[in-house]
Structures are given as C-alpha cells and as structure tokens.
C-alpha cells in the first residue's frame, strides 16, 4: 500500500531531521524513536496485500483458503521483534544520558567534547 | 546555520532515495517465497492458528532467543548503570500522597491487569497476542503501582527467581527439541493436538509463557531502576504523624 | 472509506511527529511522540496486523512514554533547550 509506505518514509525523514538538528540529548533519542516508528510502519505497509485479512486461522479463514486470504505474516513477526528491542535500546540510551547528566549537569550534546580531538 | 543546511541536505538526499525506491516499487499481489511456505504448511507442521506466533516462536525461534537476550542485556545495563546513582533531585518539597480512591482502585485493578497479561500470553498461539504483548501488559500493571505510590518497593527475590527460571526453561525446551524432535526450539516435543484448543501446538504455549514472564519482569525492572530507589520519605513522615 | 481514514491518521501522525521534533519544551514533545505511537497502533490494526497493534499500544505508547518522562524527571534541574 503506497500511502502507508509514504507515511512511514515521512516519519523516518522527520525523525532523522530531528536527530540532526536538536541539541538536547533526550530530544535526539525521541527523534530516533519517531524514525523507528516510521520504519516499522514501512515494513508493515510492504507486507500488506490489498483486501486481505489478518494472519490468524479460524472459521472465517480456513486453512485451505489461507494462501488467498491472509496478508504476509513475516514482516509482522519482524516488526514485533523490532518494537521490543527498540524500547529496550531507548531505555539504555536514556540511562547513559542520565549518567552523563550526573557528571556534567548538562543535556546539550555539544558540551561533551571529551572524545573530540 | 551551516550545520542546519548540511542536515537539510542529508534529509533531502534520503528523501530522494526513498522516493525513487517507492516509485519503482510494485505491491505484491501474491504471497511469495518463505511467507508462502509458512502459510501453506504451518497448520499441519506446527498446529498454531496464529501464524505470527508460529513464525516468532518456532520458524524464527533462534531470532527470538537472541531478542530476549538483548532485552536481558539492556535491563542489566540499565540496572548496573543506575545502581549507585548519586543524583540529587532539586528537593521537590513535601509530596502529596495520592488519594484513597486511587489507592483502592489500584489495589483492585492490579491483579486483574496481571491476569489479563497472563491470558494474552497463554492464548498466544490461538488469538492475537503473545509473550511480548502479555509481558508489556504485566509491566504496565507494575507501572500503575509506581504511579499511584512512587515509593512502592518490588520483591526482588521473586522477580529474580521468575526471570531466571523462565529463561532457563526457554533454553531447556529448545535443547529438548534438539533431542526429541527436528532441531533447536522445535515445538514438536509435545503432541500437536487439535488446532484451536488451548493445549495444542506442542511446546509453543510453554515457550510463550516463559517469554511473557521474562519480558514482564525485565520491563518492570527497567521501570523500577529508572524511577530510582524506593526511599520512602512520605511514609516516614506519615508514621511520624501517627505517633 | 478506509483510504480516507488512513489518510487522516497519516496527517495526524505527521503533524504529531513535527510537533515532537519542533516543540520548545521536552515534556509536550514526549506526549506528542506518544500520540504518534498510538495512531500508529490504530494504523496497524487497519493493516490487518493485530499482534503488532497490541505491541505498539502497550510498549510504544505506554511504557516508552513513561521511560522518557522518568528520564526527564531525573535530569530536570534547570536545563532548557537552546
């Protein structure tokens, strides 16, 4: 579905833009989270087949007709994984930010020049 | 401003790349490749009515084991980094305790939310849902406790036991599959049963229950560490008042 | 009909994402990002992906927002966005 993929791409670009122009580290992580949402939406959009239903077999979708009736389940499984990993990685990034803040009492990323030379 | 211009240029470049990809992309009209195999063979091979669960737990089981490991490592990283936190919050002043209605409602609702989470992951092979969703629902029950009483303490021994037992069971079921069935994390170590029953699809309900408990305890652990240690100035103050 | 609904949801999500990136203060931006996640979960439901919708609603809109708010609470002593 083209429309969904376009929305996903727009969200990804907005997220990249935010991660590049923001100075506050929490806002950078937030922008990366929005880019993640866009990517997940894009993957689901790629797996969607027009006019089909959810990949769950029951009386409405018997096994014999499943090939003609359900959408692609593989991207859904991948996105399921990606969402959970995403929140764990966000929590880890925010933890690093909290520790850095304890050291220098600032959230602005350009104040951390220790590794620059 | 030059930085902003470079950022704009980069974003426009990415936008150009994605737009070209999108314009040359033709939507599929058929299931192809591995998805076709999964959909046409799943029910007779594995016996789960939810195809996504079958893929997550069995066909891509090793992937999920790796994911649970990543989640575990992230939770460990959060606890290690925040364990000896010396943060001094800008003295928020005497906190108002949350109201009686909120407390009672939380105490009433929490067991039901946990039960709903358990329902989601036990029925993962039949209906939408599964270990990750159920674990997240259990973690949101813990979150409700924290929001009502910011100094709520969790019993770490129970959390640790549940977490490590479910992780060990997950790996053990996987290794059993190596000996009793076709390979690592094969679900056919138990009889497949009749599709649609709760006791069907071999080992999928066991594995998803383990994943649900593990994800729930780990997310609860992340939330507790980010909230901070359970010091209880409000409670002490109240005790002082009571005396 | 459903294409209309998807279009409206998409516009709302893009506006929410722009707000999350461009708002001056951090806490409203976090709420805007949570709203983007919530709309994304509705969109997953329309796209025949109920499993993903449940995950996104519970984790993306719920836990993730609260984790960000905790981080802001722990780093809040007098830092404003420049």
């Amino acid at each position: 579905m083209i429309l969904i993929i376009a929305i996903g791409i727009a969200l990804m670009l907005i997220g990249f833009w935010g991660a590049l122009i923001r100075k506050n580290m929490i806002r950078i992580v937030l922008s990366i989270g929005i880019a993640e949402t866009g990517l997940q939406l894009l993957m689901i959009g790629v797996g969607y087949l027009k006019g089909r239903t959810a990949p769950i077999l029951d009386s409405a979708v018997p096994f014999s007709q499943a090939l003609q009736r359900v959408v692609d389940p593989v991207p859904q499984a991948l996105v399921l994984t990606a969402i959970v990993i995403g929140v764990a990685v966000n929590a880890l990034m925010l933890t690093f930010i909290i520790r850095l803040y304890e050291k220098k009492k600032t959230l602005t990323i350009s104040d951390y020049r220790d590794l620059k030379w | 401003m030059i930085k902003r211009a470079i950022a704009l240029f980069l974003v426009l470049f990415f936008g150009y790349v994605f737009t070209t990809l999108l314009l040359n992309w033709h939507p599929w009209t058929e299931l192809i490749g591995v998805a076709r195999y999964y959909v046409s063979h799943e029910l007779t091979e594995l016996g789960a009515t939810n195809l996504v669960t079958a893929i997550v737990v069995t066909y891509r089981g090793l992937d999920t084991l790796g994911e649970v490991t990543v989640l575990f490592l992230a939770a460990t990283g959060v606890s290690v980094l925040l364990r000896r936190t010396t943060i001094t919050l800008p003295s928020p002043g005497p906190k108002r305790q949350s109201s009686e209605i909120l407390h009672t409602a939380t105490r009433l609702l929490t067991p039901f939310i946990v039960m709903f989470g358990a329902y989601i992951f036990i029925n993962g092979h039949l209906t939408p849902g599964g270990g990750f969703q159920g674990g997240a629902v259990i973690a949101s029950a813990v979150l409700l406790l924290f929001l009502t009483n910011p100094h709520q303490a969790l019993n770490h021994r129970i959390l640790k036991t549940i977490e490590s037992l479910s992780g060990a069971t997950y790996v053990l079921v996987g290794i059993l599959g190596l000996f009793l069935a076709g390979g690592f994390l094969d679900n056919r170590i138990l009889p497949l049963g009749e599709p649609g029953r709760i006791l069907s699809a071999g080992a999928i309900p066991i594995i998803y229950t383990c994943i649900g408990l593990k994800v729930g305890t780990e997310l609860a652990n992340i939330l507790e560490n980010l909230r901070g240690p359970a010091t209880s100035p409000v409670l002490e103050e109240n005790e002082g008042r009571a005396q | 009909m459903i294409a209309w609904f998807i279009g409206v949801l998409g516009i709302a999500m893009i506006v929410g994402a722009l707000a999350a990136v461009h708002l001056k203060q951090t806490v409203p931006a976090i709420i805007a990002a949570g709203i983007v996640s919530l709309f994304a979960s509705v969109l997953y439901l329309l796209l025949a992906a109920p499993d993903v919708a449940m995950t996104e609603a519970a984790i993306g809109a719920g836990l993730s927002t609260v984790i960000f708010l905790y981080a802001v609470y722990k780093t809040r002593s007098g830092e404003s966005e420049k």
Side-chain angles (χ1 to χ4, degrees):
Chain A
M1 199 146 187
I2 296 279
L3 183 58
I4 298 290
I5 297 181
I7 295 169
I9 289 174
L11 285 182
M12 271 171 83
L13 293 179
I14 292 170
F16 286 152
W17 169 246
L20 287 172
I21 64 160
R22 281 279 142 180
K23 295 271 170 52
N24 185 329
M25 289 190 286
I26 291 182
R27 301 297 291 275
I28 292 176
V29 178
L30 196 65
S31 304
I32 293 174
I34 288 174
E36 251 169 43
T37 308
L39 180 63
Q40 289 152 8
L41 205 57
L42 193 153
M43 285 171 71
I44 293 287
V46 167
Y48 182 73
L49 303 171
K50 206 171 171 56
R52 297 201 180 193
T53 181
I56 290 162
L57 309 171
D58 53 6
S59 51
V61 185
F63 180 55
S64 50
Q65 298 173 17
L67 264 181
Q68 284 79 43
R69 296 281 303 277
V70 299
V71 301
D72 194 346
V74 178
Q76 297 192 9
L78 294 179
V79 171
L80 199 67
T81 322
I83 291 174
V84 181
I85 293 286
V87 75
V89 171
N90 278 353
L92 198 58
M93 284 199 274
L94 290 172
T95 311
F96 280 121
I97 291 172
I98 292 170
R99 290 301 284 189
L100 287 174
Y101 181 81
E102 284 174 24
K103 273 258 189 304
K104 284 202 172 176
K105 296 284 170 203
T106 170
L107 282 176
T108 313
I109 195 161
S110 45
D111 289 346
Y112 293 93
R113 298 180 175 278
D114 305 352
L115 282 179
K116 267 192 177 175
W117 51 277
Chain B
M1 277 306 105
I2 186 125
K3 251 179 155 176
R4 228 166 231 260
I6 294 175
L8 187 64
F9 173 74
L10 267 176
V11 168
L12 284 181
F13 174 72
F14 274 123
Y16 170 71
V17 170
F18 283 131
T19 319
T20 346
L21 281 178
L22 186 59
L23 290 180
N24 293 320
W25 180 72
H26 300 289
W28 299 330
T29 50
E30 280 280 304
L31 291 179
I32 50 169
V34 73
R36 191 177 179 87
Y37 177 82
Y38 289 163
V39 173
S40 55
H41 290 74
E42 191 277 327
L43 199 67
T44 46
E45 272 187 8
L46 305 180
T49 52
N50 185 348
L51 295 169
V52 178
T53 297
I55 292 173
V56 166
V57 177
T58 305
Y59 287 125
R60 294 264 167 265
L62 206 58
D63 219 15
T64 308
L65 184 62
E67 179 198 359
V68 172
T69 314
V70 170
L71 193 61
F72 173 68
L73 285 179
T76 318
V78 171
S79 356
V80 167
L81 282 170
L82 287 180
R83 195 174 40 144
R84 268 196 294 275
T85 179
T86 53
I87 198 139
T88 45
L89 287 175
S91 65
K95 270 194 194 138
R96 198 159 50 94
Q97 218 174 3
S98 37
S99 71
E100 189 62 37
I101 296 173
L102 203 56
H103 270 290
T104 313
T106 305
R107 234 173 309 162
L108 203 68
L109 275 178
T110 310
F112 287 108
I113 298 177
V114 172
M115 195 171 77
F116 181 55
Y119 170 82
I120 289 176
F121 62 66
I122 289 173
N123 280 290
H125 56 301
L126 304 176
T127 50
F132 297 106
Q133 294 91 328
V137 169
I138 289 180
S140 50
V142 174
L143 177 63
L144 183 64
L145 281 180
F146 285 164
L147 290 182
T148 317
N149 179 9
H151 306 290
Q152 178 83 37
L154 295 180
N155 189 337
H156 282 269
R157 186 169 296 167
I158 292 179
L159 282 187
K160 207 166 63 187
T161 315
I162 292 176
E163 207 275 335
S164 36
L165 266 185
S166 54
T169 314
Y170 185 14
V171 176
L172 197 69
V173 169
I175 292 174
L176 275 181
L178 209 55
F179 290 112
L180 300 178
F184 190 60
L185 284 172
D186 196 327
N187 73 328
R188 284 168 291 186
I189 56 173
L190 295 173
L192 288 185
E194 184 188 338
R197 293 294 184 85
I198 190 145
L199 286 178
S200 67
I204 286 181
I206 299 173
I207 294 176
Y208 240 6
T209 305
C210 292
I211 294 176
L213 292 173
K214 205 165 155 60
V215 170
T217 46
E218 276 159 7
L219 288 178
N221 196 23
I222 288 178
L223 279 174
E224 199 205 3
N225 280 310
L226 279 169
R227 180 206 57 174
T231 53
S232 49
V234 177
L235 285 181
E236 279 163 18
E237 186 194 330
N238 276 6
E239 277 164 17
R241 209 181 289 158
Q243 279 163 8
Chain C
M1 181 61 203
I2 204 153
W4 267 92
F5 200 45
I6 289 175
V8 171
L9 274 177
I11 291 169
M13 281 172 76
I14 289 170
V15 170
L18 284 174
V21 169
H22 280 287
L23 279 178
K24 269 271 182 290
Q25 290 182 327
T26 306
V27 173
I30 290 171
I31 303 297
I35 289 172
V36 171
S37 274
L38 200 60
F39 284 157
S41 97
V42 178
L43 214 47
Y44 293 143
L45 199 60
L46 291 179
L47 290 177
D51 288 272
V52 185
M54 281 172 87
T55 318
E56 181 76 32
I59 293 184
L63 291 179
S64 186
T65 310
V66 173
I67 286 174
F68 274 104
L69 288 178
Y70 272 134
V72 171
Y73 176 71
K74 287 209 158 191
T75 56
R76 71 180 169 174
S77 56
E79 167 75 20
S80 59
E81 172 78 10
K82 279 168 202 153

